[in-house]
Amino acid sequence: MQSHARVVVVGGGVGGLSALYHLTQEGWTDVVLLERNELTSGTTWHSAAQCPSVAFNQLLLLLRDYTINLYKELAEDAAYPINYHYGTGGMRLLTNPNHVDEVHHIMSVAKGLGINFELLDPVEAKRRNPLLETQGVLAALWDEKDGDIDPAQLCQALAARSRKAGAAIHRNSPVTGLKQLPNGEWLVTNDKGAITAEHIVIAAGYRVNEVGALMGIEYPVIAMEHMYFVTEDIPDLVALDERVPMVRCPRDTFYMRQEKKGLLVGIYEHDCRTFGMDGIDPDFVNALCPDDLDRLLPKMEPIFDRLPCLQEVGIKSVVNGPISYASDAGPLVGKQPGLRNCWSMNGLRVGIGEGGGYGRMLAQMIVHGETEWDTWQLDPRRITSFANTEYTALKSIEDYQHEFRWHLPHEHRPAGRPAKASPLYPVLKAKGAEFGVVNGWERTDFYKPSNDFTESHGYRFQNSHDVVGAEVKALTNNVGLAELSGFNRYRISGTGTLEWLSSLTCSRLSSKNGKASLCYFLTPNGNIAAEATIVPLPSGDIFYGSAATAEYHDMDWLTERLPEGADIRIESCTNTHTMLVVAGPKTRDLLTSVSPRTKWGQQDFPWLTAQRVFIGHVETLALAISYSGEQAFELHIPNSQLYAAYEILTHAGAQFNLTHFGMYAIDSMRLEKGYGHWKGDFVTEYNPIEAGLHRFVDLDKEFPGKKGLQAQMAAGNRKERIILVLDTSEAPAQPGEGVFVNGTSVGSITSAAWGYRTGSNLAMAYVNPEHAVIGSVVDVLLFGKPVQATVCKSCLFDPRNTIPRGIA
């Protein structure tokens, strides 16, 4: 075994082999894969191995499309033929109006990417699959590329191509040690020796936490038992020459595909089980869990009704094997938080169906520092410390039970909640707060008008619509209070801290004490990597604030760029402090009443500045920053005194008609201002010029990503960020949905909401530059029909910021 390699991949399932193959495709051939047993001996070998192209969002649609094209190309290689049933076709059965709405959403997203699906009526669905009984089916989503593949042959083909390119694969080579060296390299040991590697990729399947223990980390990944059965030959299939299409049913949570002349039927039962929570037998190799068909019985009757042929045929075999789930059911593909040069390829619940795409994106990250897609929803750093294995088990059971039931807009399911909550959680809950979840934190979306109010969910405007409008109206007339739990904040200190931060951002940073600067950090190619508010404080410390979801991302980004030998310290205050936002025309009056020693007038405490103040007796960092466009202050308060500050503010606020508001109101108001948010509107697929952030780019200074940005600027904008006003009051647009001109895709939506102050149905989007001109008319595809939308000014509400600046 060689002693050095650029990359060592740990794990020989589809994830590890895809990563290995794609590393060679990106030009890194000095790469090694270590597998504890034989290739595919974990989950991969018993996978049902379906390859649909239907997915719930842009990224997964693109990953699946790439994966299918890769597998088709591999299968056509005569040297390593693969049994791949490409283009058998598949359908998703829709049995209620919400199902129909959600597939119209997916069809809009897909069409914007150049991927087309078809909506079938029940008669046509049965014609294409005569085994189906369509009673209760409203329609079916048709995926013409759907199919299945032999997982072992697929992995052997990837292995063969990797070896041919120069990669080494060692089977029966369990890793026994993973140690990071002072220079950032990794010492990887096993029973055959040791390899020093620049990078490691952990692709360990359901044994990921055994491998994680070697590094002292715990992955938010567990395994679930999953059963499918294969029937004896079905006469109707024996009589057919062609294969019948695959079927997936959200209502009854099952799937079926043809297996020779029988059916393979997989069921996601309610009485499901985790696997290996107390350890996994070392000899569990190419193995299965005990059959337990009794668990499936409660699900069988509706499936027999849907597929009557199952009532007349026996079961030939049962497969019950472990599959990996991360705590939000999405895979962990990308940089491992807190560790340098360590990469994750874990939690691959849909490893075969998306594995090609996972390998491509991970290889691009490792070799080039970024990938062609914004992959935040798969980034391991999106999940932070709250997600231990016990929490992950609760969420995995919930996700397993809801397999094929996609989340509706703003739907936050109950398992594992609350995972993280501020001291005000019970107080706000008693006031009627309806909570969403951000990075594990319970954060108020809106306040219910009565105790018996239950929020509805769907793709049209819901019953919270007028409630949120009332919150916005009350705030804009008087003063409102919101709690933003989990807002990411660091205290950065040390010699030359501000100069160091300035060298990392493309934006200008003010050196004036208390002056807030919004800044952006770029990828090597000049695209948007991070966004932060930075404030030098009189104490010499630096306040660094960013989105709640950036907690691990930004810490990694900064610590990996610390100057060698520097005494700079980055202390996270994310879990020790909470932000209260006070906003509205009476904001300064309220704050003056509770903090009389501070001069709260516009001249003494102007917009975009910060001061240490006392809210009553509670010391607070106050920032005059407005995400709503109203007079507003952020109050950053230690959790130990958060309740005290809240009581002081709400007691004094009675005389100013203080009300409460939540995230729905904030999203409405920030869209009226044209303000984007990180990883929603500001993603790594676009540079700051395309995102309309020209004023935050200083090309007279040096910064990481400058050459890449300049090259992009010389080539011209690929897309430009705009605000659209939709000509409908029936429904908002949804992220990812396509924007079209004469039926041709010209862009996609990134976020949307109703603007209550402007009376407009608003959406933020990126479109081709020629369609970004104010007044341009485009279409957004909603519920299968084009809705006209007009490009408007980038800021519809108070475009000169006269309100937060105090200008009459």
Side-chain angles (χ1 to χ4, degrees), residues 10-25:
V10 180
V14 66
L17 286 162
S18 181
L20 187 77
Y21 167 71
H22 284 93
L23 283 165
T24 67
Q25 294 299 292

Side-chain angles (χ1 to χ4, degrees), residues 545-599:
S546 58
T549 51
E551 180 184 358
Y552 277 7
H553 175 280
D554 287 11
M555 182 63 78
D556 271 352
W557 206 92
L558 293 171
T559 55
E560 290 181 358
R561 290 161 177 78
L562 283 170
E564 188 173 350
D567 65 350
I568 296 173
R569 294 178 63 249
I570 306 173
E571 177 189 358
S572 177
C573 302
T574 300
N575 298 306
T576 60
H577 290 66
T578 295
M579 183 206 299
L580 297 180
V581 174
V582 184
K586 297 180 181 178
T587 292
R588 293 182 187 268
D589 296 332
L590 170 58
L591 293 174
T592 298
S593 73
V594 298
S595 183
R597 292 177 54 193
T598 299
K599 295 181 179 179

Side-chain angles (χ1 to χ4, degrees), residues 324-574:
S324 296
Y325 276 71
S327 61
D328 62 359
L332 306 176
V333 182
K335 189 185 180 305
Q336 181 60 32
L339 295 175
R340 297 188 67 180
N341 303 329
C342 179
W343 305 84
S344 174
M345 175 74 87
N346 298 295
L348 308 189
R349 184 176 58 84
V350 192
I352 298 294
E354 297 165 0
Y358 297 157
R360 180 177 176 86
M361 59 179 261
L362 189 69
Q364 289 177 343
M365 290 179 198
I366 295 171
V367 175
H368 306 296
E370 62 185 295
T371 185
E372 61 197 272
W373 308 296
D374 185 278
T375 60
W376 177 247
Q377 67 191 68
L378 310 185
D379 195 307
R381 293 169 295 184
R382 75 188 188 272
I383 301 173
T384 57
S385 59
F386 68 92
N388 55 30
T389 51
E390 298 300 318
Y391 172 89
T392 300
L394 294 173
K395 295 304 291 185
S396 297
I397 291 168
E398 180 182 61
D399 286 320
Y400 185 96
Q401 293 169 340
H402 288 79
E403 188 70 27
F404 302 141
R405 295 177 184 170
W406 290 326
H407 279 78
L408 293 169
H410 302 299
E411 179 189 10
H412 298 276
R413 293 172 181 166
R417 295 178 60 188
K420 300 181 81 170
S422 85
L424 289 184
Y425 174 74
V427 179
L428 301 181
K429 188 173 184 180
K431 290 190 70 67
E434 183 74 17
F435 293 96
V437 181
V438 182
N439 190 25
W441 288 93
E442 297 290 323
R443 182 182 284 183
T444 305
D445 282 335
F446 69 96
Y447 286 84
K448 297 183 288 187
S450 63
N451 290 335
D452 60 352
F453 184 92
T454 300
E455 182 182 13
S456 60
H457 296 286
Y459 287 85
R460 301 164 195 267
F461 286 117
Q462 298 298 305
N463 61 351
S464 61
H465 182 70
D466 291 340
V467 177
V468 177
E471 288 182 8
V472 173
K473 183 177 180 180
L475 179 158
T476 56
N477 286 335
N478 294 294
V479 60
L481 177 68
E483 183 209 53
L484 297 188
S485 304
F487 181 85
N488 187 49
R489 58 181 66 72
Y490 306 142
R491 180 185 295 119
I492 307 179
S493 60
T495 307
T497 299
L498 189 63
E499 292 77 8
W500 168 66
L501 287 170
S502 179
S503 73
L504 298 179
T505 174
C506 66
S507 308
R508 292 181 295 275
L509 293 190
S510 174
S511 59
K512 183 179 179 181
N513 281 336
K515 180 63 175 175
S517 301
L518 182 61
C519 65
Y520 292 88
F521 305 96
L522 306 185
T523 69
N525 285 336
N527 294 321
I528 299 170
E531 175 191 62
T533 298
I534 292 177
V535 187
L537 302 175
S539 63
D541 295 344
I542 304 293
F543 169 90
Y544 178 107
S546 58
T549 51
E551 180 184 358
Y552 277 7
H553 175 280
D554 287 11
M555 182 63 78
D556 271 352
W557 206 92
L558 293 171
T559 55
E560 290 181 358
R561 290 161 177 78
L562 283 170
E564 188 173 350
D567 65 350
I568 296 173
R569 294 178 63 249
I570 306 173
E571 177 189 358
S572 177
C573 302
T574 300

